[in-house]
Amino acid sequence: MMTVPRAEDPARLALEGHDLHLGYAAGEDVVAGLDISVDEGSFTVIVGPNACGKSTLLRSLSKVLPPRSGTVLLDGREISSMRPKIFARQVGFLAQSSIAPEAITVHELVGRGRYPHQSVLHQWSEEDDRQVSTAMERTHVAELARRRVSELSGGQRQRVWIAMALAQQTRILLLDEPTTYLDLAHQVEVLELCRELNQVLGTTIVAVLHDLNQACRYADRIVVMRAGRILARGRPAQVITPQTIHEAFGLEVCITPDPVTGTPLILPSPPRAHVHFEGP
């Protein structure tokens, strides 16, 4: 198994997982003996073939799926010991297929992001109003505030969900396949928004993506998984090599600089098929 070393830098760690064993019900481990670290302020993308454990890992980092063994740390503290509201003020999680309640409006859904900041003694306040308005403005959905979420396009809905997470005022945002089912224009729109949150607000983002070229273009760290383990991790130019792609996906590729960004651009090599044509 090849491992590409991470670039050395003095960045502070935000999230860490140590010797993680993850699975569901009585089945076998989906992830076994995995270590991962997420730098504060980074935009990290996890890639890998289907069923390799990407979403399972993200669910564990988000406190949704407790590890069978091993630990997940937030700022050096085990997240299993943190109360849900305290954790939710630090880490937001957007699942792959988020479903909005029937007839809920955009403003109402974004407002649910304020739940971790409320209590019996601290109900809805002017600060909540301000944070909801700011989140909708930053995600460009303010003009949709009175619309029902069910009436929106896929790209608009995804921006609304991100606005809800933003209203939560977390410094870490975990996104499970945020571009799934979106057309290309909306995929770019969502990823540009994520980059803006990362670069302007300093939000630490960890996302699972399927498109390797988009991962290279937007992430400053890439984690490549296969069969429940991390195959390689580091900056896109370090990690995305023909050898890594072949080992992870079983695919022969050529890699060239993206003409727009200079990041790795992955081009699948034509299959070496032998086609026989019979004459008339």
Side-chain angles (χ1 to χ4, degrees), residues 96-97 154 158 176-183 187 208-210:
Q96 181 178 345
S97 299
Q158 201 68 327
D176 190 5
E177 300 187 27
T179 57
T180 298
Y181 308 126
L182 300 183
D183 61 33
Q187 290 176 27
V208 169
L209 293 180
H210 276 296

Side-chain angles (χ1 to χ4, degrees), residues 144-164:
L144 305 174
R146 298 182 182 276
R147 295 272 302 275
R148 293 183 179 184
V149 176
S150 59
E151 299 172 348
L152 305 181
S153 70
Q156 290 172 326
R157 283 198 301 270
Q158 201 68 327
R159 281 191 282 131
V160 171
W161 283 108
I162 293 175
M164 186 189 75

Side-chain angles (χ1 to χ4, degrees), residues 77-141:
R77 178 181 175 187
E78 289 193 31
I79 66 172
S80 59
S81 68
M82 301 178 69
R83 288 184 295 166
K85 276 192 175 182
I86 298 298
F87 182 76
R89 292 174 191 170
Q90 299 293 322
V91 180
F93 174 55
L94 185 57
Q96 181 178 345
S97 299
S98 300
I99 301 175
E102 188 71 25
I104 195 170
T105 66
V106 168
H107 187 277
E108 290 168 340
L109 183 60
V110 176
R112 293 195 174 195
R114 299 302 299 161
Y115 172 75
H117 301 274
Q118 296 174 343
S119 66
V120 174
L121 299 178
H122 178 80
Q123 297 297 316
W124 194 268
S125 67
E126 291 184 3
E127 175 64 11
D128 294 320
D129 275 328
R130 190 175 70 83
Q131 291 299 334
V132 168
S133 295
T134 299
M136 289 194 298
E137 289 169 5
R138 284 196 174 275
T139 53
H140 313 296
V141 297

